[in-house]
Amino acid sequence: MQDRIRLALEQDLRSGALQPGAPIDEHGLCERFGASRTPVREALLMLSAKGLVSILPRAGIYVQQLEPRELIAMMEGLAELEGVLARLAAQRIGDDAKRQLAEALARTEHFAQQADSVEYEKANAVLHELIYLSSGNGFIVQQTRDARLRVAPYRGKMFEKPERLLRSQAEHAAVVQAILAGDSLGAAEAMRNHISAGGRAFADMVLAAPVTTALPPRRRKRAA
């Protein structure tokens, strides 16, 4: 039960249903999942261990709210992780996965041309997941998924501008072409450029966004 609750809350974070700083109602979760308080609390503790929620004694439970500097640092780390996975995928991808990757690229191209940001984001996730699976390195894949999940609540408006969709698609094409050609170094560089370009747009969006106040301010440590 706690895993079912955790996975559902992670999906809420990806979809934007749970926003940074938003309070989490334990009683409401018990009713939503038809569960007792114990599995709900266990699920929240697992999310807290991942840095996704903050549990503040006598203050409540909130979706983790990160500072702009922390978010930008995560995007820099994500660029390196995804670059490694693209390099490994170029070395290890099989024929069937090559076909699937080419089809995934065609889908992102279609939605980019249609300026359909919702469907593009879904197709984008599929394309990246195919690259992850082709890398053959489950450890780095999990680290990458965890990093993407932590920044997911902040990325909801990343693809709203049509010009960003088209730039993202051009970057995808460079990554996929390098992987299909077996160019491991080129694939790594193209992927780092892709995530870094998205990261710059992401940083501009985060720094321009109004500061939310749902989460209580962090307490200052008492002087020794």
Side-chain angles (χ1 to χ4, degrees):
M1 175 61 76
Q2 62 263 32
D3 286 335
R4 185 166 75 88
I5 296 169
R6 174 182 59 82
L7 291 171
L9 292 177
E10 288 181 358
Q11 183 55 39
D12 287 346
L13 291 169
R14 291 189 190 94
S15 69
L18 281 175
Q19 288 292 308
I24 296 176
D25 178 11
E26 278 191 88
H27 180 69
L29 291 178
C30 291
E31 292 185 344
R32 173 182 172 185
F33 295 102
S36 66
R37 186 173 180 272
T38 297
V40 167
R41 175 49 68 101
E42 289 175 350
L44 291 172
L45 287 171
M46 286 188 282
L47 294 176
S48 176
K50 286 186 172 187
L52 298 172
V53 303
S54 294
I55 300 176
L56 305 177
R58 297 180 297 281
I61 303 172
Y62 299 83
V63 178
Q64 179 72 16
Q65 184 172 310
L66 301 174
E67 297 176 355
R69 187 179 298 275
E70 294 173 305
L71 288 165
I72 293 168
M74 286 182 191
M75 289 299 295
E76 290 176 345
L78 186 60
E80 295 302 318
L81 288 169
E82 297 234 21
V84 171
L85 293 177
R87 175 174 61 80
L88 294 175
Q91 296 170 351
R92 299 171 178 174
I93 191 168
D95 291 339
D96 187 53
K98 284 183 178 181
R99 177 185 56 78
Q100 293 180 53
L101 190 57
E103 291 173 353
L105 181 65
R107 285 195 297 274
T108 56
E109 172 69 25
H110 171 75
F111 294 125
Q113 293 298 330
Q114 296 294 317
D116 188 336
S117 61
V118 173
E119 293 301 321
Y120 182 87
E121 189 165 4
K122 295 177 184 176
N124 172 70
V126 170
L127 186 146
H128 280 264
E129 189 66 22
L130 285 170
I131 294 172
Y132 298 169
L133 296 176
S134 298
S135 74
N137 190 310
F139 176 78
I140 301 177
V141 167
Q142 189 57 53
Q143 300 301 310
T144 306
R145 287 173 177 158
D146 287 346
R148 289 186 76 94
L149 183 58
R150 290 197 69 184
V151 301
Y154 299 85
R155 290 168 56 98
K157 297 182 180 180
M158 277 285 292
F159 295 123
E160 284 190 351
K161 296 182 179 180
E163 60 270 24
R164 177 56 202 153
L165 286 182
L166 295 173
R167 285 198 301 270
S168 175
Q169 179 58 24
E171 294 155 11
H172 278 158
V175 173
V176 172
Q177 288 168 9
I179 291 174
L180 297 181
D183 179 3
S184 59
L185 294 180
E189 183 65 18
M191 181 62 88
R192 282 195 296 269
N193 288 339
H194 170 52
I195 301 298
S196 295
R200 287 191 293 273
F202 176 68
D204 291 342
M205 181 184 72
V206 168
L207 293 172
V211 177
T212 56
T213 58
L215 183 61
R218 296 174 180 176
R219 297 178 180 177
R220 294 181 180 177
K221 294 181 179 179
R222 293 181 179 179

